[in-house]
Amino acid sequence: MANFGQEGNITPHTYETATGYNLLGLVYDSLLQIDEDGVPQPWLAEELTISDDGLTYTMPIRDDAVWHDGEPLTAEDVAFSFDYYQNGPPGRFRTAVSAVESATADSDTVTVQLTQPAASFELRTLAEVPILPEHIWSSIPAPDEAPFDDSTNVGSGPYRLVESDPGTSYMFEMNPDYFAGTPTVEEIRVIQFANDAGAVAALRSGEVDMITRSVTPEQIPVLNSQEGLSVLEGPEYVTTLLVFDTQKEPFSNVAVRQAMDLATDRELLVSDVYLGAAIPGNAGWVHPESPFFDESVETTFDVDAANALLDDAGITDSDGDGVRELDGEPLEVELLAVSSNALRMRIAELLASQYAEIGMNIEVASLDQEAFDQLTWPEYDVALGRNYDMAVFGWSAPTQADIGQMGALVDSDPTLGNLNIMGYVSDEADALAAELRTESDPDARAAVADELQALIAEELPLITLLYPNGLYGHSPAAFDGWTSITGQGPINKLSFIPADARP
Amino acid sequence: MTPKTPSPARPKTSGVPTVSIRTFITPRDSTRLAPRDFTRVIGTVGAIIVSTLVLVAIFAPLIAPYDPSIRAGAPFSPPSAEHLLGTNDVGQDILSELIFGTRVSLMVGVVAASAAMLIGTTIGLVGGYFPRVGGIIMRGVDVVLVLPFLPLLIVLSTYLGRSVLNTILVIAFLIWAPTARVIRSQVLSLSRRDYVTAARSMNAGDGYIIRRHVLPRTFLLAIGEFVAATSAAILLESSLSFLGLGDPLQKSWGSVLYWAQARGAFLTPAWQWWVLPPGVLIMLAALGFALLGYALEQKINPRLRRA
């Protein structure tokens, strides 16, 4: 397989990207495993019992799971892992276990006690956090600085990582004793390329059989036209968004945001920039493939309505220069895009011409990733504020896979709304976000999600432009067992275990 | 990457005024005339290429079939009667992009070369007219001369950010040094001519001598250097834009190449109409200015000129 982009050693403490996380799933197991529909199912845990108050999770651990070094995987390992992540360096897994008060092992059963009910606990914690072997890690105080070798590289998954050379290649060897059955491929070698062009060239020359990351849409005809190659295309929960500083004029004015939403021709962005390989954005943020998608939320494209809306709001072009004024200030803003992302730059250009139709003068500026992040999301902490007008942004799949993240998108408290780079403040949204976090009844939660989608579509703290599809070039003759998880692509352990063993 | 034109006889080192000695050397035999005639042909070809490009740049809105910023057809269309060079990834007409790109590419080349000329000539004048100060300044010039070009260019432009102005500044900063050297040696020789000594003995000021005797005779040389530097600047602008270090939203030949690369045209048949034409244009422009510069240098540079 070919990978491209930055990546670290594939361990729970040092992986760097979403692809690294996906590959991690080949080596480690979690208590629950999401199935093809993204729903958590028993995995290392044989079953899951939740107390009525939603605070106590009881899970018997299966007795046939074995670490790669032959030691049995026990309930103690599970309890240890929770404790270890809580005291470890900051990161995705430490955040995931932050709601855990205690995890205790009693013979083969683990009991997890939470400080407060957490509706996303199954999906975000039990189905995500890789369980670590206590006999290896209990003696290592700083896991992110630990040496990486055979002695620490022990998981319980279908594959064992036998060689890891970040920037060059990774080698996975199958674990014949895997509890869910013998893996379907003996060896997986992941070769690192500098960019997608290199990876595509390697696939076309037969050097590799699969590309682990989504390629750009113009590669579809190239790959499909070659004998023996094809592209796995499927919806992904990845988003491409237009964000703006909602505390700053003109975006603090809801009419401006609504007019921009109306003036956004999402179909054109999908057809011209993504060549059809994307799904037009839903004004209510949630991906149409998500079980929480609310069909009643409408996304409209109507330039005339947008112009009428601005006229009614008193935002008119009083000096006749083609640019409307708000409180005497012309609607002139800078739209940022990351220069290394050709597609987003093109989107920015198209948006600038679309918003010119409603009397906005938009200057597109391209920045490198670092400078872009520093302006939009300084130090990846929304509490530090922001310093931009508008930007073409995007979030990765986990923000859509867990509906609870929709609260994080709009909550005005920086610790709860850790994705709210728009600085959006609304009491109504805060209340809905809080309900979404704690409501554990599935139907009631779906109703809250619907309300929040309607609110987002009305208030438009951000404009959801589109959802790029996952495009994975591969050679079906070499391997054709790819199993995609809805919204999250085919690189996961389900692709490599026998069909009858999948959850 | 080495800078610009063939410059077979750059003054070697500073200090010794060699010109006065050469005055006594008799012209060599007549076979020397042949290359001079050839020089004229080279100069004409260069001038034709350059003036054609300049005309294209000036009349771009009249020549270009489409506005290069609008969607003129389906994205990724191959060449057709409507779009002679096809369309790019967002349906813009590539031919129109190239025609308008001529403006930015030439403008960056000319402005950067002018700026380089200004720096180079000033430094060369000061360095040549005041030999003691010059000795120190020239060591600085040596440092700039040996700097590795492209890596430094990349570092600087990454640091400064993407804009046309920064691109111009960075290029100018990197290409002035050879000019300073050439100008300085000319000034060194001029300022020791008898008539300069005579003027000085009549209490003429430095400013007067530079204006009256030195500058006019260095000016032509600077023009020759300028044309050659333009060729280098155009190449550098294209390299920067292609690497995505220029402003990718500004239409230039290099940025057309950048988008071709970013959208995979190097791996598909689209390279024939999306990669080759801007490449040829860059080559033509660099060649045109280089030929013109070479011809001018042959005419102007006292070390190359033969009676």
Side-chain angles (χ1 to χ4, degrees), chain A residues 112-421:
Chain A
V112 179
Q113 193 75 32
L114 302 189
T115 50
Q116 58 186 43
S120 300
F121 191 67
E122 283 177 54
L123 195 60
R124 292 284 285 177
T125 310
L126 300 181
E128 272 198 6
V129 172
I131 300 304
L132 298 171
E134 181 177 12
H135 62 280
I136 306 265
W137 293 97
S138 58
S139 57
I140 300 176
D144 48 341
E145 289 158 21
F148 178 81
D149 55 33
D150 279 358
S151 69
T152 55
N153 184 24
V154 174
S156 58
Y159 287 86
R160 178 169 194 175
L161 182 59
V162 289
E163 271 174 50
S164 177
D165 189 356
T168 311
S169 71
Y170 304 90
M171 178 78 168
F172 298 86
E173 222 170 67
M174 84 167 181
N175 169 13
D177 305 322
Y178 192 50
F179 64 80
T182 311
T184 50
V185 175
E186 268 188 31
E187 280 180 357
I188 303 171
R189 177 176 285 281
V190 178
I191 303 168
Q192 198 71 28
F193 288 84
N195 52 34
D196 66 336
V200 168
L203 181 64
R204 293 180 68 192
S205 69
E207 196 188 329
V208 300
D209 303 315
M210 166 75 169
I211 301 175
T212 56
R213 290 176 58 166
S214 191
V215 296
T216 45
E218 65 271 16
Q219 307 286 1
I220 301 174
V222 179
L223 293 176
N224 277 334
S225 68
Q226 185 167 335
E227 188 96 8
L229 295 184
S230 74
V231 177
L232 278 176
E233 178 173 352
E236 292 218 344
Y237 288 155
V238 181
T239 45
T240 300
L241 312 162
L242 178 68
V243 293
F244 23 67
D245 185 346
T246 57
Q247 298 185 3
K248 191 155 114 185
E249 288 215 318
F251 307 108
S252 51
N253 188 316
V254 71
V256 173
R257 306 202 298 259
Q258 287 167 338
M260 283 166 59
D261 179 60
L262 282 171
T264 307
D265 187 352
R266 295 170 163 92
E267 300 281 347
L268 183 79
L269 298 181
V270 169
S271 66
D272 275 19
V273 180
Y274 279 87
L275 309 175
I279 293 174
N282 156 29
W285 155 260
V286 173
H287 194 293
E289 292 285 326
S290 162
F292 290 96
F293 174 63
D294 180 359
E295 285 171 19
S296 66
V297 172
E298 280 185 26
T299 308
T300 334
F301 168 54
D302 187 341
V303 179
D304 296 334
N307 275 313
L309 185 73
L310 289 171
D311 287 340
D312 292 345
I315 306 165
T316 51
D317 177 17
S318 53
D319 54 8
D321 63 351
V323 180
R324 292 170 186 271
E325 290 92 28
L326 173 64
D327 301 336
E329 289 288 315
L331 294 184
E332 285 177 343
V333 287
E334 189 180 52
L335 172 57
L336 306 181
V338 176
S339 57
S340 56
N341 191 327
L343 296 169
R344 288 201 192 154
M345 262 202 290
R346 286 307 201 199
I347 286 181
E349 281 185 287
L350 286 179
L351 286 180
S353 65
Q354 290 176 11
Y355 296 154
E357 306 271 325
I358 56 166
M360 292 182 75
N361 184 6
I362 289 167
E363 175 117 3
V364 179
S366 64
L367 295 171
D368 58 89
Q369 186 77 53
E370 216 167 292
F372 180 89
D373 290 346
Q374 198 53 41
L375 292 175
T376 52
W377 196 17
E379 312 203 1
Y380 311 116
D381 181 358
V382 293
L384 297 175
R386 62 211 76 78
N387 182 21
Y388 71 103
D389 296 336
M390 267 205 297
V392 182
F393 201 84
W395 293 112
S396 58
T399 55
Q400 288 268 350
D402 168 25
I403 198 67
Q405 291 292 303
M406 188 162 56
L409 198 66
V410 292
D411 202 308
S412 60
D413 178 338
T415 50
L416 299 172
N418 61 340
L419 306 179
N420 186 358
I421 59 168

Side-chain angles (χ1 to χ4, degrees), chain B residues 3-69:
Chain B
K4 55 190 191 177
T5 48
S7 41
R10 279 275 155 72
K12 271 168 267 159
T13 42
S14 54
V16 189
T18 50
V19 181
S20 58
I21 299 169
R22 263 202 289 113
T23 326
F24 300 103
I25 298 174
T26 45
R28 298 202 203 138
D29 57 309
S30 55
T31 53
R32 290 287 304 177
L33 288 174
R36 274 191 61 214
D37 287 339
F38 199 51
T39 300
R40 194 160 295 153
V41 179
I42 288 175
T44 317
V45 172
I48 291 174
I49 296 176
V50 170
S51 47
T52 312
L53 290 174
V54 170
L55 286 176
V56 168
I58 293 173
F59 297 108
L62 300 177
I63 306 170
Y66 298 92
D67 175 349
S69 63

